Amino acid sequence: AQPGASIPLKLLPKAGTGSWELFKNVTSRVKPNQKTVAKGMSILARFATAPHTLPASILNTLKASMVGGDQITSKTFVLAQQDSTTYPVYAFRTHTRHLPVECIDHLIKLCMGDRQIVFKDDKDKIRIFFPWTDSGVSASIIKHNLNILVNISLAECKVDPRETCNLQAQLFLTTLTWFESAGFTMEHLKQMCSLTRDKEKLAKQRIELRAVWEKDNF
């Protein structure tokens, strides 16, 4: 059978019947890559072979009916600027869903390199330090976000100098949380830094900025 074809709901594998493992074993022979997934594999085929490419809500729905077990839960973080009436409260939502080990290993190999960044103009000194956290995971996104972690001390924040560390810590922590939610450890991040100086800068930034975000008033 063609794994990409639609299957009537009544014929879907059910949790606890053993049919799910059989379906998964048959479907996984397709061995999908980025190209086959992008061409339009069905949601069911992607659930069996590349579940990390599905939204959490769809993953939870299929998992409940066919596999059972724990669901992916999201955490919502509400942020506000203390004593400020200019900037509104805002929120972001995140959930931990680690990529398969094979994906992480492949991405590490793709993203190894020098973490030095080049500014095209003054605007780049601000724009380049905003993490990309809402567009999935790809080699280009990983490189961009890792550059932020290594070079955050170069970020030019047009605010009161006393607030610069707080903003740098916020950007660093947001980016680090994105990596950890996808299953990347600090050791993985260091592996993607080809130069010793970049590994040392990454470790130093984490130590210094952690002292900032662990303060009670952060």
Side-chain angles (χ1 to χ4, degrees), residues 67-151:
V67 183
D70 297 334
Q71 301 283 289
I72 292 175
T73 57
S74 298
K75 293 182 179 179
T76 300
F77 296 85
V78 179
L79 308 176
Q81 289 75 23
Q82 186 176 11
D83 300 327
S84 174
T85 57
T86 304
Y87 298 98
V89 174
Y90 61 98
F92 70 92
R93 185 175 63 183
T94 183
H95 65 261
T96 298
R97 180 162 34 136
H98 293 176
L99 294 172
V101 174
E102 296 81 3
C103 285
I104 291 179
D105 291 341
H106 179 63
L107 287 166
I108 288 174
K109 292 177 182 178
L110 285 179
C111 298
M112 287 182 178
D114 184 351
R115 302 268 67 92
Q116 183 178 2
I117 56 177
V118 177
F119 300 115
K120 297 178 181 178
D121 51 45
D122 288 341
K123 291 183 179 179
D124 251 8
K125 295 180 180 180
I126 301 175
R127 181 172 55 239
I128 206 169
F129 289 103
F130 279 89
W132 299 343
T133 61
D134 61 351
S135 304
V137 181
S138 67
S140 60
I141 293 175
I142 287 175
K143 290 176 183 178
H144 173 84
N145 287 345
L146 185 55
N147 286 344
I148 292 174
L149 296 182
V150 174
N151 299 287

Side-chain angles (χ1 to χ4, degrees), residues 32-42 46 49-50 52-53:
N33 54 32
Q34 185 176 359
K35 291 183 179 179
T36 59
V37 171
K39 284 183 179 179
M41 292 184 72
S42 71
R46 285 170 62 185
T49 59
H52 56 285
T53 65

Side-chain angles (χ1 to χ4, degrees), residues 56-68:
S57 58
I58 294 177
L59 189 70
N60 282 341
T61 301
L62 294 176
K63 189 175 183 182
S65 62
M66 294 194 293
V67 183

